């Protein structure tokens, strides 16, 4: 999917919501556990109930890998289901990969070509040649960790390096890499005040924003500092939506929570005349 | 496996060789491609031919994930084969994972419990709570990226932060984390002169050293600066061993290459009276 198509979807749906498909068998309704593929059945129900309210789904690979072969099967069925039924949805493989060049190229092929995700999250620590292989696919994107939503973000990301904090150096340096127009960035919602700083470096780039809801971030603050004139944000909510209910009404309740966020987003876009 | 057991193995085998099982279907002998599981057949032959010369095997996850379900099957068969036939071998899931706490915990469970690797490589960018979940398993280890062997290592890892370079801060900070005695570190062989600096901070820790052979690092230089009185190194070679021949004699040639490295290691240990 091109960035232009993503922007069109945001404008069409009046939403920049990304739903994290982090499926935990301990948290899903019990009646699904007797089905052949509980993870896929759960995802299918969530997707059916919410696809008109969000522009993106983000399965976190850890939750699938934790189930080995079965998990990969559920992941494959989930991404195929989204791509077949809802090709307008921007898909994110939340994998946070990064390795030496030939290895990153293998990961890139796995997620962007074989599984056919629109994007994959990557880690910056190994630098240029660990990220560039993810940027060689036309109309595909790599979403690089910049400033994350967890406590440990302050261990290294906000460390002062020569002239600026590490996360800023990471973003600024990445702009010099080949095909950097295919880069998006992870910026945690729990640090709204940082968005203004980041927007000075990358005014146009899309930011994937985890941490709204369960992790405590505020949507309105994120938008105040982080939105650009094409929105430029994908705001993720996982647990707050998919586990709104642990009973048989889980999909309905997930829709209600997604709708609340979508309406808040619609109002924010309206106020900003987008 | 405990660190003590690993040290015993190193002393017993007179080897600190780790063999990287980075299986590329384009590089393995053609006759294997007609078997049901070419990746596993290749690994099995390499393991059968080299297990007495090395103390560790390190499958790189990317090379398995690139084949989706089939790849996971090959990985599972490979790790099970090693654990059943050669429980004295220290196994490393080269995955370079790292995410927020609950997600890292899922990865940790997948690699250290379900697949039953002895260790997994992790990335430090997200800090303490992204790494600590990998350190909660008794007699298991996390091997954290410190200074990698690729060109991009100079993008951020060697950046000056407050008082010291980032890779040093990463190592020093990690020592304050819970169960940090279960941490080992990735330090690339292409930067032998840095080992002395690193040994000032972590004299006793094991270092996993990629980059010898195909990537150009020198074993003797690494040992000169990086070895401690229990060796404290796992030196990895992947392509130089497993692709020594692309013909039907691949396992035999792999053994020859592994033997060369093991003999060099034996001599180095002898000179150092270990």
């Amino acid at each position: 999917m091109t960035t232009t198509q993503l922007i069109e979807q945001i404008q069409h749906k009046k939403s920049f919501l990304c739903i994290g498909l982090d499926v935990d068998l301990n948290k899903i309704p019990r009646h699904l556990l007797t089905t052949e593929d509980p993870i896929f059945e759960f995802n299918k129900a969530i997707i059916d109930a919410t696809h008109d309210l969000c522009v993106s789904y983000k399965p976190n690979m850890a939750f699938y890998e934790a189930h080995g072969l079965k998990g990969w099967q559920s992941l494959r069925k989930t991404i195929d289901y989204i791509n077949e039924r809802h090709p307008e949805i921007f898909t994110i493989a939340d994998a946070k990969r990064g390795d030496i060049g030939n290895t990153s190229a293998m990961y890139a092929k796995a997620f962007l070509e074989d599984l056919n995700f629109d994007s994959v999250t990557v880690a910056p620590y190994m630098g240029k040649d660990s990220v560039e292989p993810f940027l060689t696919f036309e109309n595909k994107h790599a979403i690089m960790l910049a400033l994350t939503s967890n406590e440990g973000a302050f261990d290294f990301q906000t460390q002062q390096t020569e002239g600026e904090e590490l996360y800023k150096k990471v973003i600024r340096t990445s702009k010099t890499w080949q095909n950097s127009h295919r880069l998006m960035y992870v910026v945690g919602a729990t640090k709204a005040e940082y968005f203004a700083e980041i927007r000075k470096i990358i005014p146009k780039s899309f930011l994937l924003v985890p941490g709204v809801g369960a992790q405590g971030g505020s949507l309105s603050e994120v938008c105040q500092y982080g939105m650009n004139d094409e929105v430029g944000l994908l705001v993720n909510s996982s647990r707050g939506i998919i586990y709104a209910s642990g009973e048989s009404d889980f999909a309905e309740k997930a829709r209600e929570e997604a709708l609340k966020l979508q309406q808040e987003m619609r109002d924010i876009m309206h106020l900003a005349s987008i």
Side-chain angles (χ1 to χ4, degrees), chain A:
Chain A
M1 181 180 290
T2 65
T3 310
T4 308
Q5 287 170 323
L6 174 58
I7 294 167
E8 281 168 6
Q9 281 301 311
I10 290 172
Q11 288 171 338
H12 174 67
K13 290 180 170 174
K14 300 288 173 207
S15 169
F16 41 100
L17 177 61
C18 172
I19 298 180
L21 300 175
D22 305 351
V23 187
D24 184 339
L25 290 182
N26 296 316
K27 291 186 183 161
I28 70 175
R30 283 192 188 169
H31 73 277
L32 291 177
L33 296 177
T34 57
T35 62
E36 202 192 334
D37 187 341
I39 294 178
F40 174 66
E41 292 303 328
F42 180 81
N43 283 343
K44 184 172 169 296
I46 295 286
I47 293 162
D48 289 347
T50 59
H51 65 86
D52 58 321
L53 301 174
C54 67
V55 292
S56 181
Y57 288 112
K58 178 174 75 65
N60 187 316
M61 295 306 112
F63 290 76
Y64 299 83
E65 290 191 0
H67 301 285
L69 282 179
K70 278 197 136 182
W72 269 90
Q73 241 152 353
S74 306
L75 176 68
R76 158 68 72 182
K77 282 162 75 177
T78 300
I79 181 66
D80 286 351
Y81 188 78
I82 300 170
N83 281 337
E84 278 159 26
R85 300 293 181 97
H86 307 292
E88 78 286 359
I89 294 273
F90 183 78
T91 52
I92 303 170
D94 196 0
K96 301 187 175 71
R97 300 298 195 260
D99 208 311
I100 60 171
N102 74 326
T103 306
S104 276
M106 299 288 278
Y107 279 129
K109 184 178 171 299
F111 291 113
L112 301 177
E113 202 172 276
D114 297 344
L115 286 168
N116 202 16
F117 277 92
D118 289 310
S119 65
V120 57
T121 58
V122 300
Y125 192 72
M126 292 181 67
K128 173 175 163 154
D129 53 303
S130 72
V131 174
E132 279 188 344
F134 292 97
L135 302 174
T136 59
F137 296 78
E138 200 138 356
N139 302 333
K140 303 270 178 173
H141 311 265
I143 310 180
M144 193 170 74
L145 299 179
L147 188 61
T148 57
S149 58
N150 63 323
E151 199 190 317
F154 298 103
D155 284 339
F156 309 122
Q157 297 166 25
T158 55
Q159 281 288 324
Q160 199 67 34
T161 63
E162 288 149 37
E164 61 189 343
E165 288 151 295
L166 178 61
Y167 76 93
K168 289 188 197 170
K169 187 167 291 285
V170 163
I171 295 172
R172 202 182 300 278
T173 304
S174 74
K175 293 301 293 171
T176 67
W177 298 343
Q178 200 155 25
N179 296 314
S180 65
H181 64 284
R182 294 185 187 136
L183 270 173
M184 301 177 175
Y185 299 87
V186 174
V187 181
T190 46
K191 303 177 179 63
E193 67 271 32
Y194 290 92
F195 277 87
E197 294 293 303
I198 288 170
R199 277 300 182 206
K200 288 182 197 160
I201 311 172
I202 38 167
K204 300 294 267 180
S205 299
F206 260 91
L207 309 180
L208 171 63
V209 185
V212 163
Q215 292 180 60
S218 146
L219 178 62
S220 61
E221 272 188 29
V222 166
C223 291
Q224 185 187 336
Y225 296 106
M227 209 161 72
N228 65 22
D229 59 7
E230 296 163 333
V231 177
L233 299 173
L234 291 171
V235 172
N236 182 75
S237 175
S238 302
R239 289 168 270 178
I241 292 177
I242 68 175
Y243 301 128
S245 160
E247 308 299 326
S248 60
D249 63 348
F250 73 100
E252 199 181 311
K253 294 292 182 194
R255 181 175 176 82
E256 282 174 23
E257 291 305 314
L259 186 63
K260 277 185 213 162
L261 278 168
Q262 184 270 328
Q263 286 178 341
E264 210 181 326
M265 289 172 174
R266 179 199 60 195
D267 294 347
I268 288 169
M269 288 176 69
H270 181 73
L271 275 172
S273 308
I274 301 175

